[in-house]
């Protein structure tokens, strides 16, 4: 029984939310559509799966497990009516770990103006700070949503229109303690490739973009991220020196304070993939055989982030999701 990691997909990133009406409105305004919903009334939570699904989208019409770049929103019943319930967005202590999701757009100025006109707030506008080619919008739970351009700024400066059907859910960023250990894990164990490295020596950090699929172009065109047109990338952010601090640890999002939950990889053959992970001596959060759900497994990465593993239903029928 074999498994082929080249058929794996970085399917989704899970975020806990307070109010599904507000969150769905925001992500649908960005152009995403609900491609699946799973309800668990006995356990008092619902899962909403959102993706770009227009005819121009990368995975248009695909089964939800045969996609990359999905955002899974987890709603625990009653949080919307609890004035004290608050999400940890991952960017401040004690919940620091997860950083953001990133949407790539056709015309970044027009896309940001559209969000601003709709009343949505920003952590960083295009005009803030030195980096004029990226912005960070805030979703209703104050998760950071990075906005990056698919084209050079000078090509889009005069553009007044933006087409949400061309947007991509480009990447999910998590902070890591030791880049050598983490990159080796995602390459050797999860079967990803390193698509791009961005060094910021003055800022004291490096960014590593990993994922499945074809290699990235070797050169950057006019400052545009060469993988901006992709979906389902994982960005690892390393702040220099953390690897030397024995006591340093990032927050996984699942202990209090809660927010980000996990990333999910879909595989060609779930049993074979889990057997391979067993051979790789991974740290399990949940084996397939644990608990009642026999169609889901969870691995822990070197920083303790959860990685869900499920079957790509296009490649092999397993679950009637």
């Amino acid at each position: 029984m074999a498994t082929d990691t080249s058929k794996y997909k970085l399917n989704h990133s899970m975020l806990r939310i307070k109010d599904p009406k507000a969150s769905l409105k925001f992500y649908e305004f960005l152009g995403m559509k609900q491609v699946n919903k799973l309800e668990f009334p006995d356990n008092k939570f619902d899962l909403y799966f959102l993706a770009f699904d227009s005819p121009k989208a990368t995975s248009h019409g695909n089964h939800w497990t045969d996609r990359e770049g999905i955002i899974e929103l987890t709603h625990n019943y009653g949080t919307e009516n609890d004035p004290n319930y608050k999400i940890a967005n991952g960017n401040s202590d004690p919940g620091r770990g997860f950083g953001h999701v990133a949407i790539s757009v056709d015309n970044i100025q027009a896309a940001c103006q559209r969000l601003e006109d709709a009343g949505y707030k920003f952590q960083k506008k295009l005009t803030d700070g030195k980096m004029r080619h990226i912005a960070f919008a805030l979703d209703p739970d104050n998760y950071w949503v990075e906005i990056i351009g698919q084209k050079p700024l000078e090509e889009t400066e005069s553009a007044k229109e933006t087409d949400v059907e061309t947007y991509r859910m480009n990447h999910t960023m998590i902070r890591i303690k030791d880049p050598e250990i983490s990159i080796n894990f995602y390459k050797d164990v999860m079967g990803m490739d390193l698509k791009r490295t961005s060094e910021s020596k003055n800022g004291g950090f490096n960014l590593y973009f990993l994922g499945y699929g074809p290699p990235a172009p070797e050169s950057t065109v006019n400052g545009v991220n060469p993988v901006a047109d992709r979906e389902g990338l994982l960005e690892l952010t390393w702040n220099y020196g953390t690897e030397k601090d024995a006591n340093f640890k990032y927050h996984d999002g699942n202990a209090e304070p809660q927010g980000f939950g996990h990333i999910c990889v879909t595989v060609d053959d779930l049993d074979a993939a889990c057997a391979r992970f067993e051979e790789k001596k991974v740290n399990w959060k949940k084996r397939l055989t644990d608990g009642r759900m026999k169609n889901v497994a969870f691995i822990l990465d070197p920083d303790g982030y959860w990685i869900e593993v499920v079957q790509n239903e296009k490649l092999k029928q397993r679950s009637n999701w």
Side-chain angles (χ1 to χ4, degrees):
M1 198 163 48
T3 181
D4 180 358
T5 58
S6 71
K7 294 179 180 175
Y8 291 11
K9 292 179 182 288
L10 182 48
N11 178 254
H12 70 254
S13 300
M14 186 275 262
L15 305 175
R16 294 176 178 88
I17 58 169
K18 179 183 174 89
D19 184 342
K21 286 184 181 177
S23 294
L24 288 168
K25 182 181 177 184
F26 172 81
Y27 287 102
E28 287 172 353
F29 182 76
L30 276 176
M32 303 187 92
K33 297 175 182 176
Q34 186 175 304
V35 293
N36 195 34
K37 181 183 179 185
L38 299 176
E39 298 180 355
F40 298 91
D42 293 347
N43 298 317
K44 297 185 177 178
F45 70 90
D46 292 339
L47 310 177
Y48 301 84
F49 295 84
L50 300 167
F52 291 106
D53 194 40
S54 78
K56 298 176 186 176
T58 304
S59 304
H60 172 62
N62 287 18
H63 189 273
W64 74 271
T65 60
D66 188 40
R67 292 172 177 264
E68 298 195 290
I70 291 177
I71 293 178
E72 175 192 345
L73 304 177
T74 294
H75 171 234
N76 293 294
Y77 298 174
T79 54
E80 70 277 21
N81 300 316
D82 181 354
N84 298 316
Y85 183 80
K86 193 168 183 288
I87 293 290
N89 72 5
N91 290 301
S92 60
D93 290 322
R96 188 173 164 86
F98 165 77
H100 60 259
V101 293
I103 307 293
S104 70
V105 301
D106 55 351
N107 298 314
I108 192 167
Q109 294 93 338
C112 289
Q113 190 62 52
R114 179 175 174 269
L115 278 163
E116 201 171 337
D117 290 347
Y120 290 112
K121 295 176 181 172
F122 282 75
Q123 176 68 25
K124 177 203 176 299
K125 294 184 180 180
L126 284 176
T127 50
D128 297 339
K130 293 179 185 176
M131 299 181 78
R132 298 301 173 97
H133 60 287
I134 60 170
F136 285 89
L138 292 172
D139 90 343
D141 290 293
N142 287 324
Y143 288 117
W144 295 12
V145 179
E146 185 179 15
I147 312 293
I148 62 174
Q150 297 167 2
K151 302 172 186 172
L153 275 177
E154 54 269 26
E155 284 186 21
T156 62
E157 276 177 328
S158 60
K160 301 296 182 190
E161 301 296 322
T162 180
D163 181 2
V164 297
E165 293 195 350
T166 65
Y167 290 11
R168 304 279 186 262
M169 211 306 268
N170 181 253
H171 68 258
T172 297
M173 186 276 262
I174 54 176
R175 297 175 178 90
I176 58 167
K177 175 176 179 169
D178 189 317
E180 188 175 346
I181 291 173
S182 291
I183 290 170
N184 184 60
F185 169 84
Y186 281 103
K187 288 172 71 175
D188 178 55
V189 177
M190 300 310 301
M192 294 183 182
D193 297 317
L194 181 61
K195 306 295 186 187
R196 176 176 177 245
T197 300
S198 176
E199 295 184 354
S200 181
K201 291 180 179 175
N202 291 338
F205 66 90
N206 289 358
L207 310 177
Y208 305 94
F209 294 85
L210 297 101
Y212 300 105
E218 290 187 13
S219 60
T220 299
V221 180
N222 296 333
V224 173
N225 180 335
V227 289
D229 62 342
R230 298 284 184 91
E231 289 200 311
L233 296 174
L234 181 66
E235 176 188 351
L236 306 179
T237 293
W238 168 52
N239 292 292
Y240 299 174
T242 52
E243 77 284 6
K244 297 172 184 170
D245 182 350
N247 297 318
F248 186 86
K249 193 174 188 300
Y250 282 118
H251 183 74
D252 66 7
N254 292 301
E256 294 294 339
Q258 290 189 323
F260 164 78
H262 60 260
I263 59 171
C264 174
V265 171
T266 60
V267 299
D268 56 345
D269 186 309
L270 186 56
D271 293 299
C274 287
R276 178 180 169 276
F277 291 139
E278 193 75 57
E279 289 174 4
K280 294 283 186 183
K281 296 182 168 53
V282 301
N283 291 320
W284 294 97
K285 180 68 184 177
K286 177 200 175 298
R287 287 182 166 87
L288 276 181
T289 50
D290 296 341
R292 284 186 294 176
M293 294 187 75
K294 306 299 185 187
N295 51 6
V296 174
F298 281 91
I299 293 169
L300 297 176
D301 91 342
D303 287 282
Y305 295 113
W306 297 15
I307 303 171
E308 185 180 21
V309 186
V310 300
Q311 176 67 47
N312 181 331
E313 296 288 324
K314 181 189 175 186
L315 302 180
K316 187 177 182 181
Q317 286 289 311
R318 184 184 181 102
S319 309
N320 185 24
W321 291 105

